[in-house]
Amino acid sequence: MAKRFDRNPKLTYPPECKELNEELSKDELVKRLKMLAKAFQDLGQDENNEYKELALYLASEFFMDHSSKDVRLLVACCIADIFRVFAPEAPYTETEHLKEIFLFLTEQLRGLSDPDSPSFRRYFYLLENLAWVKSFNICLELEDNQDILNGLFKMMFEIVSDKHSTKVIGFMLDVMCPLLTEADIVSQELLDIILACILEPFKTQRRAAYNLARDLIRRSSSAIEPYVQTFFSNALMLGKTSESDLSDRLLDLIQELNGIAPSILIGVLPQLEFKLKSADESERMSATRLLAKMFSEPNSDLAMLHKPLWSCFVGRFYDIDINIRRLCTQASQEFIVNHPELVQDVSGSIGIGEHLRHRQHDSDENVRMDVVQAIVGASKRALANVTDDLLECVKERTLDKKFKIRKEALVGLGQIYKCCCEANGSDLERLTWVRNKVLHAYYHNAVDDKVLVERILNTSLVPYSLEPAERMKRLYLLYTNLDKHAIKALQEIFRTQFGLRNLVRTVLDIHQKGESEEVNQMLSAKVVQLSRFLSEPTKAQEHLKKFVGMIRDDMKMRGNLLKLVTPGCSCKKAEDYVKEIIRKLGNPVPNNFLYTNVKQLLERIAPVMIDGSAVMALASHIREIMENKDGSEMDSHGASGSDDSLESGMNLLLMLSNVYQSCFHSEDVYRCLLVFVKSEVDSISDIALQVFKNVGVSMEQMFPAIHSILLPILQKMAKSGTPKQAKHALRCIDAMCKSKDEIFRQLYEHLKQNMKHDSPNFLTSLVGIGHLSSLRPSLFVSSTEDLVNTFIKPELLSKDRTIGRKSNESWCQEHLVSEETLAKIQGLKLMVRWLLGCRTAGNKASSTFRLLYTMILCEGDLMEQGNINKAEMARLRLQAGCCMLKLAQEPIFADAIRLEQFETMALLVNDPCYEVRVQFVQKLHKGLLALRLPLQYMGVLCLGALDPLKERRAIVKQMFVANVTRRREYLKQNLTANSNKIFTLLPDYVLPYAIHLLAHDPDYTTYDDINALKGIKDCLTFMLDPLLTKNENISFNFYKKMFESIKQRKDVQCVMSDEANKKLYAICDLALTLISAKSSHFSQTEFAAEPVLPKRLYTEPDLARPNTTVYLPSEFLTGQASKAKKLAAVSSSSAKASEIKKKTTSAVLHDSTKVRSRIESLDSSISSNPSSPVSSTKSSPHGLSERNRTSLSNKLHSARAISKAQGGGKTFSPNDDIERYKRGNSNSRGESSEEDVESSSLSHRTGKKSAKSTSGSKKSAAMANQPAVLAKKKKPSSIASSGSATRTGKTTQSKILDFVKRASTRGKGRSESLDRTSSADSSVKPASTDFEDEEEMEADEEVEENEEVVEESEVESEEDEKEKKEAASSRRRASASNSQSSSRTSTQGKKASATVSKKQTNVRVTTKKAISDGNKTSKKKGNSTETASLKRQRDSSQESSSLPSSSVKRPKSRNLSNGTSDGEEDESSGSGKRGKTTALPSAVLRRRKGVLAIKRREGAAARAAQKYADFEVPVGIITPKKKR
């Protein structure tokens, strides 16, 4: 508290200073204080003793609390001088008094806030004095000095402003800095006051205070460093946030301190690692943001100084929080620009570049977008700092699934390329790939991508704002450095723009027709077509309709649009027309969709790059480069003068001539083209001729001088130029000249004269005649036909005049091909062009196809003399395949190609030569994409799945996908759903063609060939994947019906071949398995139309016999399909067993009735003639002795027992059975019905199955059963003839006797099958053939297999089990009954009774007779052969009797009518004719994975015939089914 003094104290004053007291007025007091202040200013430090009391008086309450600020200011100045004069010992000793004084001085310094004040000079003096003397340092000795210091610092930051001079700021710092540097402790409150000034809002709103605090911190950094570190340690580590008001702004404070005095944070920054690893996302975010700024600041070396912290920071690139990852990627731009050393790996740590490469694959699209923006932004600022790996990231993002990312990447690359072109720097070499990459994006299906590429082309790659000369140099530089895919994309851009201009011009022409319903419909159709070239076509239609209405009403807009699309519109005018049209569409706001869509349309149709002046500039530029190519290697734009560069430039002119024909109609342009035509480089001359062909239509009328110069040059080239020059010269003449027939006649006669092998222009003549025949068929077709028949085929193609060079290479360059091979290639082309001119597909086309087919079949060496090396053979077979494709593009010729020819040609897809595969598939794809080849040829692409190279498989699959998309789009645009052409265009209908082609694959020999089916599975998957994906109308039932429908048909090419049809069915099963695996993704609704199969490949369906058999091996079946196959087998087995049981009962009842009838007949006969010797079988008129009658009676008891056991329920008397047996005697005359034979056979099988007899019993039963099978399957003519012979050669009595005799020798087998306990005569077996045994054994084996399937599947119901037990019980009872009956009769009676149950025995006599008669009349086999054959069969039967039935090897059956096996029947016959069995020709090319194999079918057939020549089989026997 200030001291109080008397009102009039007695004090000593300096000279000339008057006394001060409280009674003085304000003005007088001020006057006297001024004099006193001036006096104190002049005092030195040695003159202070006498003024101590005055110093105390001035610091009294009266003066410091005076109401006048002037008084207070003067007093403050005096006190400041007193501190100076009395230094170092101030006259003020009391602590409280000193505190009052310093607070007073602090308050007075506030007057510095207004530099414009009249008193500012005294305030400045006060500040200067205090700063000079460091008077405020005295307060540091006070115990309670925080109020003084806090107030002083706070006041300083409050009053400082931008108006203060640097001196004022300096004195302020001089006052404050010593207080920090010399203080024993800096309080947290004071630290907060200082640090708060470097944060917002001081940093932006009060910049002077920020600068003062910044300078203060820098000057006192070493003093405040420990306090700052303590503050951050408490806040960051210990969480003591209540001690400071800045605890919630720690990270911002660290950031600012790092920029002001980084040394302060040396001990603080490592503590941030805990924040980076915090579980709180906000804390991690704040710490990451802070460190990103700190590390990326220019000249920052924190990454090197704090490597652990740097490593922890870059780990945030993989943070789980998306925003943190985005923050890191966004900060990467500053790292690349300011710290390129951090992009690469830093001292073992992974650099920013590697982390960015990882983030460009981030799952979040925003992170990927930030990566692209960071790299592109850094590239535009400092491309030298951006590595190639980072640019590769942008390159990859051009393929991102999100359009906005693709757009950002493509636009960014275009901008980078533009900047480099403008700078003409060395970085342009690094960016050569940018041109290709941008144009490759045009291959994307989305319209947005195509529009974007066109915009980048016009704004960045070749800016339309440049002058024509400079613009064409950019275009030339661009085109000559593009790859082939980019060139195709650029060509497509110009073609699309050209087509859009024509479409808009058509709309304008329709407007000229007035208003009508028809006109409106036409406009609507055109609007729909236009909308497909815009983003979101459905929405664009509405806006385009509105725009079309505006065109109709606004004549000026329509005029501008017409001028815009008129050929010859200049680039400058096109830009003006676009601006005029857009101006009337409203403001370019986001919701103005009319503006957006119309602008997009105008951008695509406006010719802002090419016009007449541009074409002239381009032609002149190419001419200049060609003339100066020897003197300079490269011009200022990097355009090389090499032949390749010039050829690229000429191709650019050729491309433009297809789109901008009117821009070439200039004499200067034509003269430049004449120079190119006369070039010594053949390629340049060829291209120039093509340009003339495109743009020279009106040259004869508009530029006759040029025409007169050019025509002789063209005639000379057509006669003696290269083959390409002759070709293009003839086309030029055809396009340019009106009266050309006479010119063509002269040329034809001249070329015909040079049609000699030794002529130097032989190849030119071949090419010329071929094209003349195509261009003018009415004039030259007939003469060319004679030439083909007399020279081309017999002389050129069918003879090898020279021997080719020795080479084992599969391919060679064209200049290494011999002249003769080149001539043969041109000869093949000549025939194709001649046929295309004929337009008829008679014998001419058939013979040509046969020749081409043979050429492929012989691998290119038509004569097969080995005079052609492999490389030239590859070219010849490739040319033959391409010629077939060329002809197939015409419907009249496509139908003339036979199936085997088509299948052989398709094998070129798997040719061992890589170049053949590539070029053939390219030709195939080109024809398919143009919709000129039939749908059948699209199925050939499936063979691409067998290509040994992965990249080739991917390319062929892309081609297949492109064709699928092309056909679907075409159907949407041009055909209705009910159109008849849908079956020839819908890509889904390629499956029947592909399945048929795969079924005739030469590697697929048997239907269960697992290895071949694996390859076929790849082919089917190759096709089904594109067909099933992105198909909005897909229906599982449609594909299922298609494959099932194929299984109901037969292969037209191999109707009679079971193996061929089984292969077809197996592939269908495989296809069904594949689509069933994906059926969950399909619509189960019915398709709108039923599948329609090509009649050329498949017969009509056999609906009476559903084909439910699964032909596919179990290895390919899924769990569900395998189960279905087992269930089908179970069902079939159960049905067969039930049928056998039913027919067995019927047969037994039938037999017993016959026996009863026979006994009654015999009884009546004996009673009528008692003297007849009944015991003699030969003298009995009815053929039965008493012994045999007793045996038959016993047999009747046995049959009755079986009938009861199996549910017959009815008993018969012996007389009834004898009577029935008499009726059965008609069988011996060959009159048995088919039902009887079948029921007897089935009855015998059931007996075998129930009794489980030994193998010997089975063979006996099989031999007994075989005649029935023979009788059933034998041709009617043979049966009739044998029956007739039997009837005429024997009496009824002798027939009965023969029957009984045979029964006595054959009955043992039947008896043993009914009585398992009797085996004494099991070794007695009659002679039989293997074919007789085989069929019954096969039936038994099938029944046994079905039983095993039933047991394994465990699906037999309880009713079936019960029925099975009952059947077993009945069989045991029947066996017991049979045993009792047999014991009462003789062995001979048993044999006779067994024979009675098999009525087909009589048929066997007839069948054997027919066999014997047939063999006797055969020309190829004599009696001796028959006897030997039967003997071998009998020996084979006896040898096999001791073996199990499963060990008997069945010989392969063969058809003796043609001497071939079933699978090889009638191979040499042509394909496509129903009822004939066909296969591939005698030598089949098998090309799979580079392996060529030739299979000789005739040799195989001959060997098979020789192998089985000893087996005599009646004609017409059906081969038994083989067991798998």
Side-chain angles (χ1 to χ4, degrees), residues 323-338:
N323 295 324
I324 296 178
R325 299 201 302 272
R326 292 192 63 189
L327 178 62
C328 292
T329 54
Q330 291 168 357
S332 300
Q333 179 177 344
E334 298 299 325
F335 283 108
I336 298 172
V337 174
N338 299 329

PDB file of all heavy atoms in Angstrom, residues 323-338:
ATOM      1  N   ASN A 323     -10.988 -42.532 -40.798  1.00  0.00           N
ATOM      2  CA  ASN A 323     -10.591 -41.125 -40.822  1.00  0.00           C
ATOM      3  C   ASN A 323      -9.108 -40.947 -40.531  1.00  0.00           C
ATOM      4  O   ASN A 323      -8.463 -40.038 -41.072  1.00  0.00           O
ATOM      5  CB  ASN A 323     -11.428 -40.335 -39.809  1.00  0.00           C
ATOM      6  CG  ASN A 323     -12.894 -40.302 -40.177  1.00  0.00           C
ATOM      7  OD1 ASN A 323     -13.237 -40.234 -41.359  1.00  0.00           O
ATOM      8  ND2 ASN A 323     -13.772 -40.371 -39.193  1.00  0.00           N
ATOM      9  N   ILE A 324      -8.561 -41.794 -39.681  1.00  0.00           N
ATOM     10  CA  ILE A 324      -7.123 -41.691 -39.391  1.00  0.00           C
ATOM     11  C   ILE A 324      -6.320 -42.121 -40.608  1.00  0.00           C
ATOM     12  O   ILE A 324      -5.307 -41.489 -40.948  1.00  0.00           O
ATOM     13  CB  ILE A 324      -6.783 -42.552 -38.158  1.00  0.00           C
ATOM     14  CG1 ILE A 324      -7.510 -41.998 -36.919  1.00  0.00           C
ATOM     15  CG2 ILE A 324      -5.280 -42.582 -37.914  1.00  0.00           C
ATOM     16  CD1 ILE A 324      -7.286 -42.815 -35.661  1.00  0.00           C
ATOM     17  N   ARG A 325      -6.767 -43.166 -41.272  1.00  0.00           N
ATOM     18  CA  ARG A 325      -6.067 -43.577 -42.496  1.00  0.00           C
ATOM     19  C   ARG A 325      -6.159 -42.497 -43.558  1.00  0.00           C
ATOM     20  O   ARG A 325      -5.187 -42.231 -44.274  1.00  0.00           O
ATOM     21  CB  ARG A 325      -6.660 -44.888 -43.021  1.00  0.00           C
ATOM     22  CG  ARG A 325      -6.551 -46.055 -42.055  1.00  0.00           C
ATOM     23  CD  ARG A 325      -6.656 -47.383 -42.791  1.00  0.00           C
ATOM     24  NE  ARG A 325      -7.890 -47.531 -43.534  1.00  0.00           N
ATOM     25  CZ  ARG A 325      -9.028 -48.027 -43.049  1.00  0.00           C
ATOM     26  NH1 ARG A 325      -9.083 -48.409 -41.770  1.00  0.00           N
ATOM     27  NH2 ARG A 325     -10.097 -48.147 -43.795  1.00  0.00           N
ATOM     28  N   ARG A 326      -7.296 -41.884 -43.668  1.00  0.00           N
ATOM     29  CA  ARG A 326      -7.435 -40.792 -44.636  1.00  0.00           C
ATOM     30  C   ARG A 326      -6.511 -39.627 -44.286  1.00  0.00           C
ATOM     31  O   ARG A 326      -5.907 -39.014 -45.174  1.00  0.00           O
ATOM     32  CB  ARG A 326      -8.887 -40.304 -44.668  1.00  0.00           C
ATOM     33  CG  ARG A 326      -9.877 -41.280 -45.238  1.00  0.00           C
ATOM     34  CD  ARG A 326     -11.210 -40.609 -45.491  1.00  0.00           C
ATOM     35  NE  ARG A 326     -11.066 -39.548 -46.487  1.00  0.00           N
ATOM     36  CZ  ARG A 326     -12.024 -38.676 -46.796  1.00  0.00           C
ATOM     37  NH1 ARG A 326     -13.186 -38.728 -46.163  1.00  0.00           N
ATOM     38  NH2 ARG A 326     -11.817 -37.759 -47.715  1.00  0.00           N
ATOM     39  N   LEU A 327      -6.413 -39.327 -43.004  1.00  0.00           N
ATOM     40  CA  LEU A 327      -5.551 -38.232 -42.579  1.00  0.00           C
ATOM     41  C   LEU A 327      -4.096 -38.497 -42.960  1.00  0.00           C
ATOM     42  O   LEU A 327      -3.387 -37.606 -43.450  1.00  0.00           O
ATOM     43  CB  LEU A 327      -5.672 -38.040 -41.069  1.00  0.00           C
ATOM     44  CG  LEU A 327      -4.792 -36.962 -40.433  1.00  0.00           C
ATOM     45  CD1 LEU A 327      -5.136 -35.599 -40.988  1.00  0.00           C
ATOM     46  CD2 LEU A 327      -4.946 -36.977 -38.923  1.00  0.00           C
ATOM     47  N   CYS A 328      -3.658 -39.724 -42.776  1.00  0.00           N
ATOM     48  CA  CYS A 328      -2.274 -40.069 -43.111  1.00  0.00           C
ATOM     49  C   CYS A 328      -2.032 -39.961 -44.621  1.00  0.00           C
ATOM     50  O   CYS A 328      -0.997 -39.428 -45.064  1.00  0.00           O
ATOM     51  CB  CYS A 328      -1.956 -41.480 -42.630  1.00  0.00           C
ATOM     52  SG  CYS A 328      -1.918 -41.657 -40.832  1.00  0.00           S
ATOM     53  N   THR A 329      -2.969 -40.455 -45.403  1.00  0.00           N
ATOM     54  CA  THR A 329      -2.775 -40.387 -46.856  1.00  0.00           C
ATOM     55  C   THR A 329      -2.839 -38.953 -47.363  1.00  0.00           C
ATOM     56  O   THR A 329      -2.096 -38.579 -48.281  1.00  0.00           O
ATOM     57  CB  THR A 329      -3.843 -41.236 -47.553  1.00  0.00           C
ATOM     58  OG1 THR A 329      -5.154 -40.825 -47.116  1.00  0.00           O
ATOM     59  CG2 THR A 329      -3.670 -42.704 -47.211  1.00  0.00           C
ATOM     60  N   GLN A 330      -3.700 -38.152 -46.797  1.00  0.00           N
ATOM     61  CA  GLN A 330      -3.774 -36.751 -47.210  1.00  0.00           C
ATOM     62  C   GLN A 330      -2.490 -35.997 -46.881  1.00  0.00           C
ATOM     63  O   GLN A 330      -2.061 -35.118 -47.640  1.00  0.00           O
ATOM     64  CB  GLN A 330      -4.969 -36.076 -46.542  1.00  0.00           C
ATOM     65  CG  GLN A 330      -6.314 -36.566 -47.044  1.00  0.00           C
ATOM     66  CD  GLN A 330      -7.477 -36.099 -46.185  1.00  0.00           C
ATOM     67  OE1 GLN A 330      -7.281 -35.435 -45.165  1.00  0.00           O
ATOM     68  NE2 GLN A 330      -8.684 -36.475 -46.573  1.00  0.00           N
ATOM     69  N   ALA A 331      -1.883 -36.322 -45.728  1.00  0.00           N
ATOM     70  CA  ALA A 331      -0.638 -35.656 -45.340  1.00  0.00           C
ATOM     71  C   ALA A 331       0.544 -36.110 -46.181  1.00  0.00           C
ATOM     72  O   ALA A 331       1.603 -35.471 -46.157  1.00  0.00           O
ATOM     73  CB  ALA A 331      -0.353 -35.915 -43.863  1.00  0.00           C
ATOM     74  N   SER A 332       0.371 -37.195 -46.929  1.00  0.00           N
ATOM     75  CA  SER A 332       1.490 -37.729 -47.713  1.00  0.00           C
ATOM     76  C   SER A 332       1.944 -36.758 -48.791  1.00  0.00           C
ATOM     77  O   SER A 332       3.118 -36.762 -49.183  1.00  0.00           O
ATOM     78  CB  SER A 332       1.085 -39.055 -48.353  1.00  0.00           C
ATOM     79  OG  SER A 332       0.731 -40.003 -47.373  1.00  0.00           O
ATOM     80  N   GLN A 333       1.036 -35.958 -49.290  1.00  0.00           N
ATOM     81  CA  GLN A 333       1.424 -34.993 -50.327  1.00  0.00           C
ATOM     82  C   GLN A 333       2.514 -34.057 -49.833  1.00  0.00           C
ATOM     83  O   GLN A 333       3.497 -33.783 -50.539  1.00  0.00           O
ATOM     84  CB  GLN A 333       0.199 -34.197 -50.783  1.00  0.00           C
ATOM     85  CG  GLN A 333       0.520 -33.152 -51.846  1.00  0.00           C
ATOM     86  CD  GLN A 333      -0.727 -32.438 -52.317  1.00  0.00           C
ATOM     87  OE1 GLN A 333      -1.834 -32.894 -52.088  1.00  0.00           O
ATOM     88  NE2 GLN A 333      -0.551 -31.303 -52.982  1.00  0.00           N
ATOM     89  N   GLU A 334       2.376 -33.551 -48.598  1.00  0.00           N
ATOM     90  CA  GLU A 334       3.389 -32.657 -48.042  1.00  0.00           C
ATOM     91  C   GLU A 334       4.703 -33.398 -47.798  1.00  0.00           C
ATOM     92  O   GLU A 334       5.785 -32.828 -47.966  1.00  0.00           O
ATOM     93  CB  GLU A 334       2.880 -32.047 -46.732  1.00  0.00           C
ATOM     94  CG  GLU A 334       1.631 -31.190 -46.893  1.00  0.00           C
ATOM     95  CD  GLU A 334       1.880 -30.007 -47.812  1.00  0.00           C
ATOM     96  OE1 GLU A 334       3.001 -29.466 -47.794  1.00  0.00           O
ATOM     97  OE2 GLU A 334       0.947 -29.642 -48.557  1.00  0.00           O
ATOM     98  N   PHE A 335       4.606 -34.632 -47.408  1.00  0.00           N
ATOM     99  CA  PHE A 335       5.832 -35.402 -47.233  1.00  0.00           C
ATOM    100  C   PHE A 335       6.590 -35.527 -48.557  1.00  0.00           C
ATOM    101  O   PHE A 335       7.814 -35.384 -48.606  1.00  0.00           O
ATOM    102  CB  PHE A 335       5.509 -36.800 -46.692  1.00  0.00           C
ATOM    103  CG  PHE A 335       5.197 -36.836 -45.230  1.00  0.00           C
ATOM    104  CD1 PHE A 335       3.918 -37.046 -44.777  1.00  0.00           C
ATOM    105  CD2 PHE A 335       6.196 -36.645 -44.294  1.00  0.00           C
ATOM    106  CE1 PHE A 335       3.630 -37.082 -43.430  1.00  0.00           C
ATOM    107  CE2 PHE A 335       5.918 -36.682 -42.931  1.00  0.00           C
ATOM    108  CZ  PHE A 335       4.624 -36.894 -42.492  1.00  0.00           C
ATOM    109  N   ILE A 336       5.851 -35.830 -49.628  1.00  0.00           N
ATOM    110  CA  ILE A 336       6.504 -36.011 -50.932  1.00  0.00           C
ATOM    111  C   ILE A 336       7.140 -34.709 -51.406  1.00  0.00           C
ATOM    112  O   ILE A 336       8.265 -34.708 -51.934  1.00  0.00           O
ATOM    113  CB  ILE A 336       5.478 -36.535 -51.954  1.00  0.00           C
ATOM    114  CG1 ILE A 336       4.939 -37.908 -51.517  1.00  0.00           C
ATOM    115  CG2 ILE A 336       6.097 -36.639 -53.333  1.00  0.00           C
ATOM    116  CD1 ILE A 336       3.793 -38.421 -52.348  1.00  0.00           C
ATOM    117  N   VAL A 337       6.439 -33.603 -51.212  1.00  0.00           N
ATOM    118  CA  VAL A 337       6.942 -32.317 -51.698  1.00  0.00           C
ATOM    119  C   VAL A 337       8.085 -31.802 -50.821  1.00  0.00           C
ATOM    120  O   VAL A 337       9.131 -31.359 -51.328  1.00  0.00           O
ATOM    121  CB  VAL A 337       5.792 -31.288 -51.760  1.00  0.00           C
ATOM    122  CG1 VAL A 337       6.319 -29.908 -52.132  1.00  0.00           C
ATOM    123  CG2 VAL A 337       4.730 -31.744 -52.748  1.00  0.00           C
ATOM    124  N   ASN A 338       7.909 -31.832 -49.518  1.00  0.00           N
ATOM    125  CA  ASN A 338       8.883 -31.221 -48.605  1.00  0.00           C
ATOM    126  C   ASN A 338       9.992 -32.171 -48.158  1.00  0.00           C
ATOM    127  O   ASN A 338      11.089 -31.709 -47.815  1.00  0.00           O
ATOM    128  CB  ASN A 338       8.157 -30.683 -47.372  1.00  0.00           C
ATOM    129  CG  ASN A 338       7.148 -29.614 -47.716  1.00  0.00           C
ATOM    130  OD1 ASN A 338       7.326 -28.862 -48.685  1.00  0.00           O
ATOM    131  ND2 ASN A 338       6.061 -29.535 -46.962  1.00  0.00           N
TER     132      ASN A 338
END
